[in-house]
Amino acid sequence: RLDAMRAVLPGGGTIQGEATLLPGAVQAKLAAAAVDLRAIHTRLRRTSLHGPFQVVVAGERQWARGSLTQEGIGLTVQVARVGDVVEVQELGALADGGEVSGTGKITLSGAMPFSANLKVTRFDPSAIGDYPAGSLSGSVLAQGRLSPRAMDLSWSLGESVLYGHTFRSDGRARIAGERITQADGDIRLGSNRLTARGAYGRPGDELAVTLEAPRLEELAPLSGSLRARGTLSGSLQNPRASLTAEATALAFGGVQLEKAAIKLNGTLAAH
């Protein structure tokens, strides 16, 4: 038996507790205190989370569960590993009445196949850090392999609010290495809509992009309307764009433009 184990975390938090050594197995009961999420990532909020952790190791099977809470926020995770298979059996985050939950599985050998399922319900990104305020509801699904990287991704966010405006996004895409195929995405913020369809990342690929923004003030610190359409091609290292845009009644600071037309055709390397 190991008593009074203690570890200090970045940001000053601690984990302490005891472990019991059994034939072929280890059981540990721990408690975390003063865990600061900002010590993990600078954009996350400052916290002083506390709660219990349990760890069981028995041969090829490992299991762990932890819960961290403070007023207005709570985090829970439960993970199990058998051989090369790791399963996230429960992942949850509660913040100011909103919730994120998910499950997932990955095999740590061979092609490293994985799957992940994430659901959000009235979740406010600003409740956990320096992110836009809103209320997001929907789901994200991902399935594929990591070696070599190839995955199918789909998402659906509806009945949501972001930056004080109604927000909705639906789409799907297949990612293989640095290439995106079968992309079909739609983002709507207030009265504005952005769509992208096609493929990108390999010679011959084209991603068709359309922006209909009748109220730019819902997107940026300017007013007016903008319509744009075109294609993106090339590679991540040297993207090529062919776009045309028309703007009406633009106003930014003290500058006003009744009409403006923009054409763009080329690569970043050529400019």
Side-chain angles (χ1 to χ4, degrees):
R1 182 185 180 97
L2 300 176
D3 296 319
M5 296 188 304
R6 189 175 188 272
V8 178
L9 304 174
T14 61
I15 294 181
Q16 56 188 350
E18 60 185 30
T20 302
L21 305 180
L22 303 172
V26 177
Q27 296 180 354
K29 293 184 178 181
L30 309 169
V35 178
D36 185 5
L37 292 180
R38 180 151 291 189
I40 300 173
H41 193 286
T42 56
R43 294 194 65 182
L44 293 174
R45 66 185 282 186
R46 291 197 179 279
T47 60
S48 184
L49 299 165
H50 64 276
F53 276 83
Q54 292 178 275
V55 179
V56 177
V57 179
E60 285 195 340
R61 178 174 175 81
Q62 296 101 45
W63 177 90
R65 178 179 177 85
S67 296
L68 295 172
T69 61
Q70 70 172 51
E71 184 177 358
I73 189 170
L75 303 173
T76 300
V77 62
Q78 180 170 308
V79 180
R81 176 176 178 176
V82 179
D84 288 337
V85 179
V86 178
E87 182 178 2
V88 179
Q89 299 172 332
E90 181 183 353
L91 176 66
L94 298 173
D96 294 346
E99 181 179 5
V100 177
S101 60
T103 57
K105 181 183 289 188
I106 184 171
T107 300
L108 302 177
S109 60
M112 300 181 70
F114 76 93
S115 62
N117 183 348
L118 193 67
K119 182 179 180 181
V120 294
T121 305
R122 298 183 301 276
F123 184 72
D124 180 5
S126 68
I128 63 167
D130 299 329
Y131 302 103
S135 176
L136 304 179
S137 295
S139 61
V140 180
L141 302 175
Q143 180 174 313
R145 64 174 189 265
L146 295 182
S147 182
R149 183 175 63 176
M151 71 181 76
D152 291 314
L153 178 68
S154 63
W155 67 93
S156 179
L157 296 169
E159 300 181 3
S160 299
V161 176
L162 196 63
Y163 295 108
H165 304 290
T166 57
F167 176 78
R168 183 179 184 90
S169 181
D170 298 277
R172 61 181 176 84
R174 174 165 291 178
I175 302 172
E178 295 186 347
R179 188 183 184 217
I180 301 173
T181 63
Q182 301 179 28
D184 188 354
D186 182 288
I187 300 175
R188 303 183 188 213
L189 181 63
S191 304
N192 310 290
R193 182 182 184 187
L194 173 68
T195 63
R197 293 181 174 87
Y200 180 80
R202 185 178 291 181
D205 288 344
E206 283 192 348
L207 188 67
V209 179
T210 302
L211 174 64
E212 296 285 346
R215 300 190 64 180
L216 283 173
E217 61 271 20
E218 297 175 344
L219 297 175
L222 71 163
S223 61
S225 65
L226 176 67
R227 301 181 63 184
R229 64 180 59 245
T231 59
L232 297 177
S233 58
S235 64
L236 293 175
Q237 293 75 26
N238 189 27
R240 171 179 289 274
S242 178
L243 301 170
T244 60
E246 297 178 355
T248 304
L250 283 182
F252 177 72
V255 179
Q256 294 185 343
L257 293 173
E258 284 301 316
K259 287 187 177 182
I262 302 170
K263 288 187 177 182
L264 174 65
N265 190 2
T267 65
L268 290 177
H271 292 81

